[in-house]
Amino acid sequence: MANTFHTDFALSKNRLEALADGIFAIAMTLLVLEIKIPDLAKSVPASELGSALAHETPVFIGFFITFFLASFFWFFHHATFRHFHTLRPAVAVVNLAFLMFVSLLPFSTGLLSRFLQNSAAQAFYFGNQLALAILLAVHWTMVRKQTQEPASADERDQVQTLNRIYFFPPAYALALVVSLVAPQWSFVSLMFGFLIGRVTHRKFA
Amino acid sequence: MANTFHTDFALSKNRLEALADGIFAIAMTLLVLEIKIPDLAKSVPASELGSALAHETPVFIGFFITFFLASFFWFFHHATFRHFHTLRPAVAVVNLAFLMFVSLLPFSTGLLSRFLQNSAAQAFYFGNQLALAILLAVHWTMVRKQTQEPASADERDQVQTLNRIYFFPPAYALALVVSLVAPQWSFVSLMFGFLIGRVTHRKFA
Amino acid sequence: MANTFHTDFALSKNRLEALADGIFAIAMTLLVLEIKIPDLAKSVPASELGSALAHETPVFIGFFITFFLASFFWFFHHATFRHFHTLRPAVAVVNLAFLMFVSLLPFSTGLLSRFLQNSAAQAFYFGNQLALAILLAVHWTMVRKQTQEPASADERDQVQTLNRIYFFPPAYALALVVSLVAPQWSFVSLMFGFLIGRVTHRKFA
Amino acid sequence: MANTFHTDFALSKNRLEALADGIFAIAMTLLVLEIKIPDLAKSVPASELGSALAHETPVFIGFFITFFLASFFWFFHHATFRHFHTLRPAVAVVNLAFLMFVSLLPFSTGLLSRFLQNSAAQAFYFGNQLALAILLAVHWTMVRKQTQEPASADERDQVQTLNRIYFFPPAYALALVVSLVAPQWSFVSLMFGFLIGRVTHRKFA
């Protein structure tokens, strides 16, 4: 029957993994397209080109941080894939929304690297990351409901570790709020949010 | 014999799947390259940058919708791959034409997001999607002919579900026609086309 | 011993296939980046945008033809991979040179679509394709030497079909020569070259 | 327990390989985006376009060399993957840093091809390559520590060959130093560095 779609249509999780790897690889590589080659004369002296590049340091740092945060998401996202075998359509939809925000990252990063301390640019950037964090948490919750009890102590530990996914939304939400009032402190507050989450987790896990 | 090419040359479907995943991943990620970073001074106040971004809302919506429609095509395209084992050259050719229109999507989306309510831009956009819909339907028809009777009730249900592929061409054709006469209603008519197809399918399936 | 490198260092062909699929997918998708969105006012009437797009027809045709030719190379390249198991470094080097010219395709196509009937642009374009054709033929020759006698009639037929790879260099060389003297006939002469090759092959195979 | 993360969380190396292949494929293809189509009138005579392209020869050479060096890194990076089965988080982190510098390559290459003999551009370019060389050497050292004694003579030979990874950092460091004082000799000195490494290796291996 056609309208049993949501139950009978098991998808292959491998192809979603392939699409996810592809989109992550491309988005992470496109980040660099937003770093512009200094628009100077070809015969510019090395010192001047050097200082133009040095001037771009915040842009490089933005690229490095975003690459690092994106690979964090990639890492946790892919680690969850061991904990289910059948990909239900609802999970597929959440994953596609997640991937959509992955592919938005080069734009957000470009915006941030152009308007570095601007609240609007930062809010957009952290809003993008927050959307990723929330969708990953939703994905993980759906996956956990679907899975049976962890079979081994080892598997239980892995689930514990993956529960760190739940720290991400509050940490990014904090950074988003801070970016609106004090953009120069947003990244510090993100690190602070991660730290708090880590300590809390260690206590209660 | 050389001219038995069309019968003796079974291809590996896995590599076509890999190429398809790659092209989908890239086209879906390149969509975002068409969203331009606002060309404002670096010291622009947050409120002004914010309103410039808010002004871009239709472009973001276009990006989201196209990403969603493309992942729809990706989903159905990949689901058909379970229903055959040998990839015949004729099917490969249809698939490569399909992938060519996938790789055209960033251009169509960029065109649409620049000339939003313009009939010519919309006709190009829906023409691209219609080409995808028709080629996917041709592919599915070829795959169905090649397959034996579905073995299990489960497989029969899947084939039923995949028959929804046949709703796509009329829905996109409707949107294309509407875009020429009343571009502001084209997306609504696309949704309407999908809905009609869904209801019809439920009735006759 | 370190200098037995060329004999002892069997590589995994799967990873080279993955890299090849990735580079083909990206190059084929990047082709579209060379099609520029018409630089017109946002409020341009549909008829004017339509005629601007119609004016771009040769560019679209160039995109379609290049996509088709590239997928031809992809198809034959991947079909050869069934005929060997161990990837020797010399074959890997030829393949990497081949992939380098694949990744040059977006540039050649962009050049051609901008300077359509210009001999220099066409010579560059067909030079790129000729390099692909020659490297693919070298690769296939190396693979054939490495393989044992085809085991089955089926395998012998496949090798026959793959020998068509040897038509490519003369056909592209013909197009390159013609492009220098009569650029408007270059694509016709390419098709003619393929046709001649096909007929010859059928006769002698 | 949550803080046993570093020991209990074995990752799948296959997915990291897929991400690596994707990032290499994209970075290697994006290199070409930095080659600009000559900005001439559409009706330019072939001779003028030809000489404009000939004028770009150093840029093409830069593209070819970078593609070649990058595929060298790809080759050695992927060859190491046979020598371990479990991917520990520390190795994953080193690999992600490695991939970050891979994705920076299109920028470095673009910078170099614009400011060819400029010390600052060359230092940036060789700095990027040096970072890759060092991270690959760190990765290989970690992998070696993790592996048991090579089982067979064949495996021992492979480890020998992979030890060539240790030549890369000094060769690139030499090129970096030379680029600061005599940029016209930087590539020659890189080749010289490789040669020295090769001879030394042959002597002591």
Side-chain angles (χ1 to χ4, degrees):
Chain A
M1 261 166 49
N3 47 345
T4 58
F5 182 81
H6 292 279
T7 53
D8 70 17
F9 207 64
L11 297 171
S12 140
K13 71 171 184 173
N14 294 354
R15 293 248 359 233
L16 186 61
E17 281 187 287
L19 190 76
D21 282 340
I23 288 182
F24 265 106
I26 298 152
M28 285 159 85
T29 317
L30 289 182
L31 292 176
V32 86
L33 288 189
E34 300 301 337
I35 311 181
K36 300 294 176 219
I37 293 171
D39 193 16
L40 300 168
K42 287 203 174 193
S43 58
V44 69
S47 61
E48 204 177 313
L49 179 58
S51 76
L53 287 169
H55 199 74
E56 296 282 292
T57 310
V59 176
F60 289 109
I61 294 175
F63 164 70
F64 287 151
I65 292 178
T66 310
F67 196 98
F68 168 81
L69 296 176
S71 54
F72 227 61
F73 278 117
W74 172 80
F75 178 98
F76 277 94
H77 180 251
H78 112 56
T80 65
F81 271 71
R82 305 182 148 206
H83 293 276
F84 63 100
H85 297 287
T86 316
L87 180 62
R88 290 181 314 166
V91 177
V93 168
V94 170
N95 272 275
L96 288 167
F98 176 76
L99 292 176
M100 190 172 73
F101 283 101
V102 172
S103 81
L104 194 59
L105 276 177
F107 175 79
S108 308
T109 309
L111 192 72
L112 183 70
S113 66
R114 200 179 144 87
F115 304 102
L116 221 52
Q117 299 282 16
N118 190 308
S119 284
Q122 289 217 349
F124 194 97
Y125 178 83
F126 287 112
N128 188 347
Q129 302 269 20
L130 179 59
L132 286 170
I134 290 172
L135 287 161
L136 185 60
V138 170
H139 161 77
W140 176 229
T141 306
M142 288 169 118
V143 164
R144 278 180 67 192
K145 277 200 189 137
Q146 195 182 336
T147 344
Q148 306 90 308
E149 270 305 286
S152 61
D154 199 69
E155 231 178 283
R156 204 160 40 240
D157 284 352
Q158 281 187 26
V159 168
Q160 279 293 6
T161 307
L162 282 168
N163 282 340
R164 287 193 206 165
I165 286 171
Y166 295 123
F167 312 161
F168 291 8
Y172 282 110
L174 176 65
L176 174 56
V177 169
V178 170
S179 76
L180 290 170
V181 293
Q184 66 276 33
W185 294 106
S186 55
F187 281 99
V188 174
S189 62
L190 178 67
M191 295 304 136
F192 184 72
F194 281 138
L195 208 72
I196 295 280
R198 189 69 200 273
V199 171
T200 319
H201 186 257
R202 207 170 286 184
K203 211 156 180 179
F204 295 102
Chain B
M1 263 165 47
N3 47 346
T4 57
F5 182 81
H6 292 280
T7 52
D8 70 17
F9 207 63
L11 296 171
S12 141
K13 70 171 185 173
N14 294 352
R15 293 252 351 237
L16 185 61
E17 281 187 286
L19 190 77
D21 282 340
I23 288 183
F24 266 105
I26 298 151
M28 286 159 85
T29 317
L30 288 183
L31 292 176
V32 86
L33 288 189
E34 300 302 337
I35 311 182
K36 300 293 175 220
I37 293 171
D39 193 16
L40 300 168
K42 287 204 175 194
S43 57
V44 69
S47 60
E48 205 177 312
L49 179 58
S51 75
L53 287 169
H55 199 73
E56 296 282 292
T57 310
V59 176
F60 288 110
I61 293 174
F63 163 70
F64 286 152
I65 291 177
T66 310
F67 196 99
F68 169 81
L69 296 175
S71 54
F72 227 61
F73 279 116
W74 173 80
F75 178 98
F76 277 93
H77 180 251
H78 113 55
T80 66
F81 271 71
R82 305 182 147 206
H83 293 275
F84 63 99
H85 297 288
T86 316
L87 180 62
R88 292 182 312 167
V91 178
V93 168
V94 170
N95 272 275
L96 288 167
F98 176 77
L99 292 177
M100 190 173 72
F101 283 101
V102 171
S103 82
L104 194 59
L105 276 177
F107 175 78
S108 307
T109 309
L111 192 72
L112 183 71
S113 65
R114 200 180 143 88
F115 304 101
L116 220 54
Q117 299 283 16
N118 190 307
S119 284
Q122 290 217 348
F124 193 98
Y125 179 84
F126 287 112
N128 188 345
Q129 303 269 19
L130 179 58
L132 285 171
I134 290 172
L135 287 162
L136 184 60
V138 170
H139 160 77
W140 176 230
T141 305
M142 289 169 117
V143 165
R144 278 180 65 192
K145 277 200 189 136
Q146 192 182 338
T147 344
Q148 307 90 308
E149 269 306 285
S152 60
D154 199 69
E155 230 178 284
R156 205 158 42 238
D157 284 353
Q158 281 188 25
V159 168
Q160 278 295 4
T161 306
L162 282 169
N163 282 340
R164 286 193 206 164
I165 285 171
Y166 295 123
F167 311 160
F168 291 7
Y172 281 110
L174 176 66
L176 174 55
V177 169
V178 171
S179 76
L180 290 170
V181 293
Q184 67 276 32
W185 294 107
S186 56
F187 281 99
V188 174
S189 63
L190 178 68
M191 295 305 136
F192 185 72
F194 281 138
L195 208 72
I196 295 280
R198 188 72 199 273
V199 171
T200 319
H201 187 257
R202 206 170 286 184
K203 211 157 180 177
F204 296 101
Chain C
M1 260 166 50
N3 48 345
T4 58
F5 182 81
H6 292 279
T7 52
D8 71 16
F9 207 62
L11 296 172
S12 140
K13 70 171 184 172
N14 294 353
R15 293 249 354 235
L16 185 61
E17 282 187 287
L19 190 76
D21 282 339
I23 288 182
F24 265 105
I26 298 152
M28 286 159 86
T29 318
L30 288 183
L31 291 177
V32 86
L33 288 190
E34 300 301 337
I35 311 181
K36 298 294 175 219
I37 293 172
D39 193 16
L40 300 168
K42 287 205 174 192
S43 57
V44 69
S47 59
E48 204 177 313
L49 179 58
S51 75
L53 287 169
H55 199 74
E56 297 282 291
T57 310
V59 176
F60 288 109
I61 293 174
F63 163 71
F64 286 151
I65 292 177
T66 310
F67 196 99
F68 169 81
L69 296 175
S71 55
F72 227 61
F73 278 116
W74 172 80
F75 178 97
F76 276 93
H77 180 252
H78 112 56
T80 66
F81 271 72
R82 303 182 149 208
H83 293 275
F84 63 99
H85 297 288
T86 314
L87 179 64
R88 290 182 314 167
V91 178
V93 168
V94 171
N95 273 274
L96 288 167
F98 176 76
L99 292 177
M100 189 173 72
F101 283 101
V102 172
S103 82
L104 194 59
L105 276 178
F107 175 78
S108 308
T109 310
L111 192 72
L112 183 70
S113 66
R114 199 179 144 89
F115 303 101
L116 221 51
Q117 299 281 17
N118 190 306
S119 283
Q122 289 215 349
F124 193 97
Y125 179 84
F126 287 112
N128 188 346
Q129 303 269 20
L130 179 58
L132 285 171
I134 290 171
L135 287 162
L136 185 59
V138 170
H139 159 77
W140 177 229
T141 306
M142 289 170 117
V143 165
R144 278 180 66 192
K145 277 199 190 139
Q146 192 181 339
T147 342
Q148 305 90 309
E149 269 305 285
S152 61
D154 200 69
E155 231 177 284
R156 205 159 41 241
D157 284 353
Q158 281 187 26
V159 168
Q160 279 294 7
T161 307
L162 282 169
N163 282 341
R164 286 194 205 163
I165 285 171
Y166 296 123
F167 311 161
F168 291 8
Y172 282 110
L174 176 65
L176 174 56
V177 170
V178 171
S179 76
L180 289 171
V181 292
Q184 66 277 32
W185 294 107
S186 56
F187 281 100
V188 174
S189 64
L190 178 68
M191 295 304 135
F192 185 73
F194 280 139
L195 208 72
I196 295 280
R198 188 70 199 273
V199 171
T200 319
H201 187 258
R202 206 170 286 184
K203 212 156 179 179
F204 296 101
Chain D
M1 259 166 53
N3 48 343
T4 58
F5 182 80
H6 292 279
T7 52
D8 70 16
F9 207 63
L11 296 172
S12 141
K13 72 170 183 172
N14 294 353
R15 292 254 350 238
L16 185 61
E17 282 187 287
L19 190 75
D21 282 340
I23 289 181
F24 265 105
I26 297 152
M28 285 159 86
T29 317
L30 288 183
L31 292 177
V32 86
L33 288 190
E34 300 301 338
I35 311 180
K36 299 294 176 218
I37 293 171
D39 193 16
L40 300 167
K42 287 203 176 195
S43 57
V44 69
S47 61
E48 204 178 312
L49 179 58
S51 75
L53 287 169
H55 199 73
E56 297 282 292
T57 310
V59 176
F60 288 110
I61 293 175
F63 163 70
F64 287 151
I65 291 178
T66 310
F67 196 99
F68 168 80
L69 296 176
S71 55
F72 228 60
F73 279 117
W74 173 80
F75 178 97
F76 277 93
H77 180 251
H78 113 57
T80 65
F81 271 72
R82 304 182 147 208
H83 293 276
F84 63 100
H85 296 287
T86 315
L87 179 64
R88 290 181 314 167
V91 178
V93 168
V94 170
N95 272 275
L96 288 167
F98 176 76
L99 293 176
M100 189 173 72
F101 283 101
V102 172
S103 81
L104 194 58
L105 276 177
F107 175 79
S108 308
T109 310
L111 192 72
L112 183 69
S113 65
R114 200 180 143 88
F115 304 101
L116 222 50
Q117 299 282 17
N118 190 308
S119 283
Q122 289 216 350
F124 194 97
Y125 179 83
F126 287 112
N128 188 347
Q129 303 268 21
L130 180 58
L132 286 171
I134 291 171
L135 287 162
L136 184 59
V138 171
H139 160 77
W140 176 229
T141 306
M142 288 169 117
V143 164
R144 278 180 66 193
K145 277 200 190 136
Q146 192 181 339
T147 344
Q148 305 90 308
E149 270 305 285
S152 60
D154 200 70
E155 230 177 283
R156 204 160 41 240
D157 284 353
Q158 281 187 26
V159 168
Q160 280 292 9
T161 307
L162 282 168
N163 283 339
R164 286 194 206 164
I165 285 171
Y166 295 123
F167 312 160
F168 291 8
Y172 282 110
L174 176 65
L176 174 56
V177 169
V178 171
S179 77
L180 289 171
V181 293
Q184 67 276 33
W185 294 106
S186 56
F187 281 100
V188 174
S189 63
L190 178 67
M191 295 303 136
F192 185 73
F194 281 139
L195 208 72
I196 295 280
R198 188 70 198 273
V199 171
T200 320
H201 187 258
R202 207 170 286 184
K203 211 158 180 176
F204 296 101

